[in-house]
Amino acid sequence: MLQDKRILLILTGGIAAYKGLDLIRRLRERGAQVTPVLTRAAEQFVTPLSVSALAGHKVYRDLFDLTDEAEMGHIQLSRSADLILVAPATADIMAKMAQGRADDLASTLLLATDTPVMVAPAMNVRMWDHAATQRNLAQIKQDGVSVIGPNDGDMACGEFGPGRMSEPLEIVAAVAAHFGPRPLSGKRIVVTSGPTHEPIDPVRYIANRSSGAQGTALAQALVDLGAEVVFVTGPAEVSPPRGAHVVSVQTAAEMMAAVETALPADAAVFAAAVADWRVRGASARKLKKQAGDLPTLSFAENPDILAHVAQLDSGRPGLVVGFAAETDDVIDNATAKRLRKGCDWIVANDVSPETGIMGGTENAITLITDAGAETWPRMSKTDVSAQLAQRIANALT
Ligand code: C5P
């Protein structure tokens, strides 16, 4: 997949540098040649010896190392790569990149290069959220740097939130997408994702536990294969995919309107957990608590967006894909759902608590098409997405 691609991997100083070691292995397994560069701070977290052993290559550490300058100057080093990957990227290296500073080997390489640059940030959540970091992030993106992650989750410092470096396999997927074939280029795909919020009054709403993880991962995989993705998302927990056109909505009715606006499309994938009901006559004012007087909610049915699009007489996308989260008789229920909704494929999964799939990082799906049911082995949600995206590409091309 990455056969003979030359990757200059800059590790900067964060606890996530240990994942950099695994990243080197994963890149090399796929045929890449990895030339490692360590900052002084990175050496506090991983040793040059382990990095060079895993990379099978000398580690570059010092701007003023005369031997290196004689063998290969920093200009040449930065240009002899097909891609420069900074993982983990600290707040500090992002700040240097945004300002164009060059006071050590890593920052000098980044300034001296005309090679594409990809960064995988990793830092404490407060540092990530800080206005200065967000400003630097916007600047480096504007300068053409691609940014992978960070992910939400538990952090080494004991806090929780965005700032965890993307997993090595996610980074490898982004690198592969950078070099890979783009069979979906020129194809427009609408993806719905996340939960919906149905208001009771201006401050209260009815929601569900969808995180938006699977829909986001699939949209990302479609972008990575070159598709133009319109990503219609309810209030999700995970950050939207890089490179998609994001339309944020709250309610099922808004999601329906956004999907209709996004059509026509070559394919539509409905991964959202749309609320089945909305509150009839939601109040325009906050309902007041009155002792002994309990409000009664009555419901109205929400439009079924998937069924509506799958059954359009004109302007139906060539491929319409639905999802089905089931806890029992998964294949029978999902097969019936495919026919009832009129979609082409259903991606069914067993969300019984004992599977650990809901909220977990792995998924085991059954793909239901007109040819029958195909059960895939359990794998990461990222791998499920990459394979589904490839199937969508095969169907559209
Ligand atoms: O009927 P059920 O909710 O199980 O169907 C799930 C599939 O239908 C998912 O693909 C979901 O995104 C879609 N759906 C929709 N609009 C609704 C309800 C479900 O698009 N109102």
Side-chain angles (χ1 to χ4, degrees):
M1 188 162 80
L2 294 174
Q3 201 57 46
D4 299 328
K5 297 293 181 220
R6 295 163 308 170
I7 296 174
L8 186 69
L9 175 65
I10 299 177
L11 293 106
T12 66
I15 184 67
Y18 81 90
K19 289 202 261 182
L21 297 177
D22 190 33
L23 177 61
I24 295 173
R25 280 186 46 226
R26 304 293 186 168
L27 290 167
R28 292 195 68 205
E29 271 168 16
R30 287 159 179 77
Q33 296 168 14
V34 178
T35 303
V37 174
L38 283 178
T39 62
R40 280 280 167 274
E43 289 182 22
Q44 302 294 320
F45 294 92
V46 289
T47 68
L49 187 59
S50 36
V51 171
S52 70
L54 284 166
H57 198 290
K58 173 184 169 57
V59 178
Y60 292 91
R61 301 159 62 191
D62 199 338
L63 185 55
F64 300 108
D65 184 325
L66 291 181
T67 327
D68 290 352
E69 284 297 319
E71 283 172 5
M72 178 183 270
H74 59 269
I75 307 282
Q76 197 190 338
L77 181 59
S78 72
R79 295 193 189 155
S80 59
D82 298 307
L83 177 73
I84 300 185
L85 177 61
V86 189
T90 55
D92 183 58
I93 195 78
M94 289 171 61
K96 284 181 180 169
M97 290 169 76
Q99 291 184 4
R101 292 174 55 159
D103 60 1
D104 64 359
L105 179 60
S107 53
T108 304
L109 291 171
L110 287 160
L111 194 63
T113 194
D114 52 3
T115 302
V117 176
M118 221 178 239
V119 302
M123 68 196 71
N124 167 274
V125 52
R126 297 262 156 75
M127 293 171 79
W128 175 254
D129 283 339
H130 197 286
T133 302
Q134 291 301 313
R135 221 165 32 235
N136 294 334
L137 174 70
Q139 181 64 56
I140 64 174
K141 281 186 176 173
Q142 198 186 321
D143 296 343
V145 170
S146 9
V147 180
I148 309 146
N151 292 344
D152 276 7
D154 287 319
M155 316 211 50
C157 50
E159 290 184 75
F160 182 90
R164 275 173 67 91
M165 186 172 86
S166 295
E167 295 306 319
L169 284 178
E170 291 177 285
I171 298 174
V172 168
V175 170
H178 170 82
F179 291 115
R182 297 171 73 78
L184 285 171
S185 88
K187 303 289 180 197
R188 182 178 167 89
I189 303 183
V190 179
V191 178
T192 71
S193 183
T196 64
H197 285 181
E198 307 296 332
I200 296 170
D201 66 17
V203 297
R204 303 180 178 96
Y205 58 84
I206 293 177
N208 63 63
R209 295 191 196 279
S210 166
S211 66
Q214 183 67 77
T216 303
L218 182 53
Q220 186 68 67
L222 293 166
V223 168
D224 289 345
L225 292 187
E228 176 197 352
V229 171
V230 183
F231 185 70
V232 181
T233 177
E237 283 170 25
V238 297
S239 332
R242 255 170 311 116
H245 174 62
V246 179
V247 184
S248 296
V249 300
Q250 296 283 323
T251 65
E254 287 169 14
M255 187 173 274
M256 173 73 123
V259 167
E260 286 190 313
T261 306
L263 295 178
D266 298 287
V269 179
F270 295 89
V274 184
D276 290 316
W277 313 287
R278 65 179 175 278
V279 177
R280 191 190 296 277
S283 172
R285 294 159 163 239
K286 185 182 171 193
L287 299 177
K288 291 270 181 291
K289 184 166 92 173
Q290 281 165 355
D293 183 11
L294 299 178
T296 308
L297 298 182
S298 74
F299 292 92
E301 204 167 319
N302 269 333
D304 190 316
I305 310 169
L306 166 62
H308 170 76
V309 172
Q311 293 167 33
L312 282 175
D313 287 331
S314 75
R316 181 192 190 276
L319 180 69
V320 177
V321 182
F323 275 69
E326 308 280 352
T327 53
D328 43 357
D329 299 328
V330 176
I331 296 181
D332 286 351
N333 283 327
T335 304
K337 188 169 287 179
R338 175 179 167 271
L339 296 175
R340 194 166 66 240
K341 303 245 187 186
C343 56
D344 303 300
W345 300 354
I346 284 271
V347 180
N349 54 5
D350 186 342
V351 291
S352 310
E354 63 273 17
T355 63
I357 283 172
M358 195 114 121
T361 56
E362 293 192 330
N363 204 351
I365 67 149
T366 300
L367 179 63
I368 294 166
T369 67
D370 63 353
E374 218 181 274
T375 298
W376 293 10
R378 193 176 168 120
M379 57 184 116
S380 73
K381 286 184 178 171
T382 318
D383 285 347
V384 169
S385 302
Q387 296 197 19
L388 269 175
Q390 191 55 57
R391 287 291 285 264
I392 291 172
N394 296 346
L396 292 186
T397 51

